[in-house]
């Protein structure tokens, strides 16, 4: 009976996860005319792609760190509020809006004729081009990832037994010591999930870099897009994809939480 | 010197009145037990003393110092929480060290004090265990060690033994009592187990619905409960209705008996309490009331015998005397073993009356 019920999920996994991954691995060993080759891998390991990889990691790292710096205090404050579910909802609602729409909204805000610049103009300051810079890229990415980071952190802070915090006060801890010695250590699992959920997609952002960063930020995500859509070199695109998956597995292993490690 | 004085403390949670006009002084170095049914406000009272809840109104003093505005981390109080509240990310040693590290106690002194606290609570072998790997009794001892290592003036314990099995619990009761005597600090212990309260305390506070109903030594409370509520809560009791005739005379079912209570107006309806162990079985017609033995239960140290008197009321008797079901006997109790309670009487009126008639009748 159990097996029968598991069948649809198994089928789903095979068709939408396992098969595509194998297809991708297969393509990564093909050159443009369909012959088996290791050429793509050789090219990836050449300096150009390595630089791109480092670039991707660097941006993903920046995005994750800034998102964390914003989200942790936010989650902490929400967990202390009276109507916490309401405020959490306020944070989550933007995730219901399509990423593209949000990105275009930022173009409206940051653009040369956007809201921010008209405010600057009012104060008699120069107009500056905020768009098409890594600043814009990181700002928008951080904005998009904040809810995904806040949610797991909020959940783990909220799950901390109130008596533990009282016990720390009881033993003489100040609010700051209670935070650093009890709350933060006990919410690390949430932080790890938040990092996973941010860092991994941030490695392969491509739409954002195209739209907000111009072509200033080149990451593995943009490389894949370019190989598939512009160069029509599926082999090379797949190779980059394979590496991306390897990196993601690596990141997941590094940030795995206690419960996941068996 | 740290006596704890509660002055007219009231606590509301929203609209609900949880603690009502609590006035009490805890003297230094005594073992107090707060006893009461679930939800009567015991934990809330402890939280006010510990500084985790700010009372809605009223004052709290430690000695002469008003504590109303002093936060929990600045009070010389440590708490053993109802659920122990041990830090799951630290091991036994680190849990015990937590308070000392915060207070920046020097490493040498810290090591010595932790060692002593662990030895005291028989935890030396468990020093590096994770909290998850401990049994309930061990957790409880870690919680105690973590509290006493700070050498507080006052230790608050919230139902700290309720999770343990009977044997361990009795062991821990001895240990706690010994600990308190050794440390000489004030213990305020919350429980809803009356036997525990009787065994441990210098003084028991019986609470009901946010009031302190009666406070006194275990013997006072057991022998002279203020009312039916206290009598029923502490120990088992037979309570019959009667009427006061004059000082030293009470009528039960229309028959007059001698008693040792007085100060109650003639004709006042009263309740007479007799403890099951104070009743003696005698041959028919030789005691106060003729009864029929209804059931006999063997309870280990004694028999619990239920008898029915001629008016159909049930009496419970704890005795080592042997008898048989269905047998007709009579029950007898000394006049000193009858305790007279006046419904609606306040604790201070009650105490005054007892004092006045002590030794006279
Ligand atoms: N923070 C709070 N907010 C609202 N109501 C509360 C709060 N804390 C306690 N109460 C209520 O106050 C009452 C007394 O609670 P308290 O925890 O003091 O009971 P207790 O005597 O310790 O009971 P137990 O023996 O079950 O531990 C309960 O009805 C409880 O629901
Ligand atoms: Mg309680």
């Amino acid at each position: 009976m159990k097996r029968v019920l598991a069948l649809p999920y198994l089928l789903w996994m095979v068709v939408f996860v396992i098969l595509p991954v194998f297809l991708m691995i297969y393509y990564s060993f093909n050159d443009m005319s369909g012959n088996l080759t290791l050429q793509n891998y050789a090219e990836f390991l050449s300096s150009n792609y390595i630089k791109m990889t480092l670039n991707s990691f660097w941006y993903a790292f920046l995005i994750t760190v800034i998102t964390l710096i914003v989200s942790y205090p936010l989650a902490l404050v929400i967990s202390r509020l009276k109507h916490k579910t309401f405020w959490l909802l306020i944070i989550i609602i933007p995730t219901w809006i399509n990423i593209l729409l949000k990105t275009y909204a930022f173009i409206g805000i940051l653009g040369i004729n956007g809201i921010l610049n008209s405010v600057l103009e009012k104060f008699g300051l120069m107009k500056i081009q905020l768009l098409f810079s890594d600043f814009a890229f990181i700002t928008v990415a951080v904005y998009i990832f904040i809810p995904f980071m806040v949610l797991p952190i909020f959940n783990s802070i909220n799950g901390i037994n109130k008596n533990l915090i009282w016990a720390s006060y009881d033993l003489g801890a100040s609010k700051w010591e209670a935070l650093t010695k009890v709350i933060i250590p006990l919410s690390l699992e949430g932080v790890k999930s938040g990092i996973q959920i941010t860092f991994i997609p941030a490695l392969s952002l491509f739409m954002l870099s195209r739209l907000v960063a111009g072509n200033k930020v080149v990451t593995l995500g943009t490389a894949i897009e370019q190989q598939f859509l512009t160069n029509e070199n599926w082999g090379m695109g797949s190779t980059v994809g394979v590496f991306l998956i390897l990196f993601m597995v690596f990141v997941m292993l590094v940030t795995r939480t206690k419960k996941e490690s068996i | 010197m740290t006596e704890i004085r509660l002055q007219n403390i009231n606590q509301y949670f929203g609209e609900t009145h949880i603690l009502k006009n609590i006035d009490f002084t805890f003297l230094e170095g005594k073992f107090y037990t707060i006893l009461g049914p679930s939800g009567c406000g015991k934990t809330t009272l402890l939280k006010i003393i510990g500084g985790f809840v700010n009372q809605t109104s009223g004052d709290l003093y430690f000695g002469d110092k008003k504590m109303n505005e002093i936060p929990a981390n600045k009070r010389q109080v440590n708490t053993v929480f109802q659920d122990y509240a041990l830090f799951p990310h630290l091991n036994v040693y680190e849990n015990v060290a937590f308070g000392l590290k915060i207070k920046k106690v020097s490493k040498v002194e810290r090591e010595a004090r932790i060692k002593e606290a662990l030895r005291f609570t028989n935890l030396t072998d468990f020093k590096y265990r994770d909290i998850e790997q401990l049994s309930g009794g061990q957790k409880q001892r870690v919680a105690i060690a973590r509290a006493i290592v700070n050498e507080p003036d006052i230790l608050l314990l919230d139902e700290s033994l309720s999770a343990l099995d009977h044997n361990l619990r009795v062991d821990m009761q001895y240990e706690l009592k010994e600990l308190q005597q050794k440390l000489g600090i004030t213990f305020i212990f919350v429980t809803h187990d009356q036997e525990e309260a009787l065994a441990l305390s210098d003084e028991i506070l019986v609470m009901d619905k946010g009031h302190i109903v009666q406070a006194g030594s275990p013997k006072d409370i057991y022998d002279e409960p203020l009312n039916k509520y206290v009598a029923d809560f502490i120990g088992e009791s037979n309570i019959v209705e009667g009427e006061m005739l004059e000082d030293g005379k009470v009528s039960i079912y229309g028959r007059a008996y001698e008693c040792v209570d007085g100060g109650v107006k003639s004709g006042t309806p009263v309740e007479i309490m007799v403890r099951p162990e104070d009743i003696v079985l005698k041959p028919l017609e030789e005691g106060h009331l003729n009864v029929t033995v209804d059931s006999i239960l063997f309870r280990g140290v004694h028999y619990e015998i239920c008898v029915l008197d001629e008016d159909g009321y049930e009496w419970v008797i704890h005795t080592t005397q042997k008898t048989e079901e269905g047998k007709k006997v009579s029950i007898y109790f000394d006049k000193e073993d009858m305790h007279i309670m006046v419904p609606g009487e306040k604790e201070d009126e009650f105490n005054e009356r007892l004092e006045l008639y002590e030794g006279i009748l």
Side-chain angles (χ1 to χ4, degrees):
Chain A
M1 192 60 204
K2 258 189 191 159
R3 286 210 185 142
V4 176
L5 285 177
L7 207 63
Y9 301 103
L10 210 68
L11 216 66
W12 169 279
M13 290 283 287
V14 170
V15 174
F16 291 106
V17 182
I18 297 173
L19 255 153
V21 169
F22 274 101
L23 263 177
M24 194 169 75
I25 293 173
Y26 171 73
Y27 274 121
S28 73
F29 290 104
N30 277 332
D31 67 11
M32 284 184 82
S33 40
N35 305 315
L36 275 184
T37 172
L38 283 174
Q39 175 65 36
N40 295 330
Y41 284 85
E43 198 178 330
F44 188 90
L45 296 173
S46 77
S47 64
N48 210 1
Y49 277 98
I50 295 289
K51 218 175 116 197
M52 224 181 272
T53 307
L54 290 178
N55 215 16
S56 291
F57 267 89
W58 173 242
Y59 278 109
F61 171 76
L62 278 183
I63 292 167
T64 309
V65 168
I66 298 171
T67 309
L68 180 61
I69 290 173
V70 176
S71 302
Y72 197 96
L74 191 59
L76 190 66
V77 168
I78 293 174
S79 73
R80 292 286 172 278
L81 292 178
K82 211 168 178 191
H83 304 285
K84 33 187 165 184
T85 17
F86 170 76
W87 291 107
L88 203 60
L89 199 69
I90 296 284
I91 301 284
I92 290 172
I93 282 174
T95 63
W96 300 348
I97 299 164
N98 185 296
I99 287 201
L100 260 183
L101 277 178
K102 283 189 281 193
T103 311
Y104 277 112
F106 265 99
I107 294 177
I109 295 171
L110 298 175
I112 194 84
N113 295 316
I115 299 168
L116 218 62
N117 268 318
S118 33
V119 174
L120 287 181
E121 220 177 359
K122 281 259 158 59
F123 287 102
L125 294 168
M126 284 240 300
K127 278 192 178 188
I128 35 174
Q129 178 55 286
L130 295 163
L131 271 182
F132 313 124
S133 61
D134 41 10
F135 163 78
F137 173 64
I138 290 174
T139 309
V140 178
V142 165
Y143 167 79
I144 286 169
F145 284 121
I146 281 175
F148 297 101
M149 184 72 100
V150 167
L151 203 62
I153 296 179
F154 170 85
N155 280 335
S156 60
I157 292 180
N158 204 35
I160 297 175
N161 176 357
K162 198 97 217 260
N163 275 357
L164 291 178
I165 293 158
W166 277 339
S168 72
Y169 294 151
D170 186 78
L171 295 166
S174 61
K175 290 209 159 152
W176 175 251
E177 285 164 323
L179 177 69
T180 54
K181 289 184 195 301
V182 179
I183 299 174
I184 291 180
L186 288 178
S187 56
L188 277 187
E189 304 288 283
V191 171
K192 279 185 188 169
S193 312
I195 289 178
Q196 264 185 23
I197 247 173
T198 309
F199 192 85
I200 292 172
L203 266 182
S204 59
L205 284 172
F206 68 91
M207 203 110 76
L208 264 189
S209 31
R210 277 264 181 280
L211 290 174
V212 210
N215 282 331
K216 290 248 170 53
V217 178
V218 182
T219 62
L220 292 177
T222 40
I224 295 177
E225 192 212 9
Q226 173 130 4
Q227 291 299 343
F228 273 95
L229 300 182
T230 318
N231 300 0
E232 298 200 352
N233 184 350
W234 286 34
M236 194 59 220
S238 298
T239 310
V240 181
V242 168
F243 275 99
L244 202 50
I245 289 183
L246 288 178
F247 295 145
M248 288 174 181
V249 169
F250 171 74
V251 171
M252 280 176 87
L253 284 178
V254 171
T255 56
R256 78 185 147 180
T257 53
K258 257 192 209 146
K259 273 174 231 145
E260 289 161 3
S261 61
I262 303 164
Chain B
M1 87 119 214
T2 336
E3 59 173 43
I4 307 164
R5 215 159 73 238
L6 303 168
Q7 261 178 14
N8 209 9
I9 299 248
N10 280 284
Q11 180 64 45
Y12 286 85
F13 285 124
E15 295 286 292
T16 0
H17 202 172
I18 301 295
L19 291 178
K20 299 163 189 162
N21 298 318
I22 302 284
D23 260 311
F24 195 79
T25 304
F26 295 93
L27 300 177
E28 189 186 356
K30 284 199 172 188
F31 198 125
Y32 289 90
T33 302
I34 303 178
L35 190 62
S38 189
C40 72
K42 305 180 295 292
T43 299
T44 309
L45 191 60
L46 280 199
K47 281 185 176 163
I48 288 174
I49 297 173
F52 309 119
V53 168
N54 277 326
Q55 65 269 28
T56 316
S57 69
D59 294 320
L60 172 70
Y61 291 90
F62 287 179
D64 295 328
K65 191 159 180 228
K66 193 162 168 180
M67 301 302 286
N68 292 17
E69 307 298 328
I70 312 279
N73 57 344
K74 298 274 186 289
R75 296 187 184 188
Q76 274 300 318
V77 179
N78 283 113
T79 309
V80 178
F81 286 85
Q82 191 158 1
D83 58 0
Y84 309 139
L86 299 175
F87 301 121
H89 59 299
L90 304 176
N91 66 21
V92 170
Y93 176 87
E94 291 163 334
N95 262 280
V96 180
F98 191 93
L100 298 181
K101 279 191 183 156
I102 295 261
K103 292 185 198 87
K104 308 251 173 351
V105 174
S106 75
K107 187 150 192 221
V108 181
E109 192 189 337
R110 198 167 74 209
E111 291 295 326
R113 274 162 72 174
I114 294 170
K115 200 171 162 198
E116 175 61 16
L118 290 177
R119 195 190 56 78
F120 214 95
T121 44
N122 284 326
L123 283 169
T124 311
D125 296 340
F126 301 96
K127 206 167 161 183
Y128 298 115
R129 281 272 186 102
D130 275 346
I131 297 305
E132 289 157 43
Q133 300 167 343
L134 299 176
S135 73
Q138 290 158 350
K139 279 186 191 155
Q140 138 115 59
R141 283 182 288 168
V142 177
I144 292 174
R146 187 178 69 175
I148 60 168
V149 79
N150 301 290
E151 299 172 353
D153 298 333
I154 300 152
L155 189 64
L156 308 176
L157 301 106
D158 196 351
E159 296 195 33
S160 306
L161 305 184
S162 50
L164 311 181
D165 68 50
H166 181 76
N167 285 342
L168 189 56
R169 190 173 176 146
V170 173
D171 283 350
M172 288 302 300
Q173 286 173 2
Y174 279 112
E175 283 181 33
L176 268 189
K177 183 77 192 163
E178 215 181 287
L179 186 71
Q180 191 265 340
Q181 281 162 352
K182 261 197 236 173
L183 296 174
I185 62 176
T186 315
F187 272 41
I188 305 180
F189 183 86
V190 162
T191 179
H192 40 219
D193 180 328
Q194 39 113 353
E195 276 178 38
E196 200 162 273
L198 291 172
L200 289 172
S201 331
D202 295 319
E203 193 148 336
I204 297 177
L205 285 77
V206 182
M207 285 186 66
D208 182 29
K209 301 192 192 95
H211 292 284
I212 296 178
V213 185
Q214 190 177 7
S217 71
K219 194 164 162 26
D220 283 351
I221 296 229
Y222 189 80
D223 289 342
E224 276 146 9
L226 169 67
N227 55 28
K228 204 170 162 174
Y229 174 80
V230 179
D232 273 339
F233 208 84
I234 310 237
E236 284 182 75
S237 52
N238 296 293
I239 297 173
V240 287
E241 279 164 24
E243 195 183 296
M244 207 63 191
L245 297 175
E246 58 189 79
D247 285 355
K249 271 224 166 73
V250 66
S251 128
I252 303 173
Y253 310 147
R255 261 202 277 173
Y257 290 91
E258 261 187 73
C259 66
V260 292
D261 292 81
V264 183
K265 254 188 23 213
S266 176
T268 313
V270 293
E271 288 163 334
I272 299 100
M273 181 201 78
V274 185
R275 293 288 182 192
E277 65 275 16
D278 292 332
I279 299 177
V280 185
L281 295 179
K282 293 207 165 182
L284 208 59
E285 301 297 344
E286 284 179 29
H288 291 325
L289 291 162
N290 290 332
V291 296
T292 315
V293 177
D294 186 47
S295 68
I296 303 172
L297 257 177
F298 181 58
R299 280 297 188 89
V301 279
H302 59 251
Y303 294 101
E304 180 172 306
I305 300 171
C306 271
V307 301
L308 296 174
D309 64 22
E310 283 160 350
D311 296 292
Y313 289 100
E314 192 186 67
W315 297 73
V316 178
I317 303 162
H318 292 172
T319 179
T320 48
Q321 291 174 284
K322 286 212 181 79
T323 184
E324 292 152 32
E325 274 176 36
K327 194 170 167 185
K328 283 197 186 307
V329 290
S330 83
I331 56 175
Y332 173 83
F333 35 84
D334 283 334
K335 60 179 182 176
E336 287 82 12
D337 293 328
M338 271 195 277
H339 170 66
I340 304 232
M341 304 179 291
V342 183
E345 196 174 28
K346 291 271 178 323
E347 194 186 1
D348 23 345
E349 299 164 1
F350 171 79
N351 286 336
E352 215 168 283
R353 178 166 68 80
L354 282 190
E355 250 165 58
L356 216 58
Y357 284 83
E358 186 109 68
I360 295 182
L361 294 164

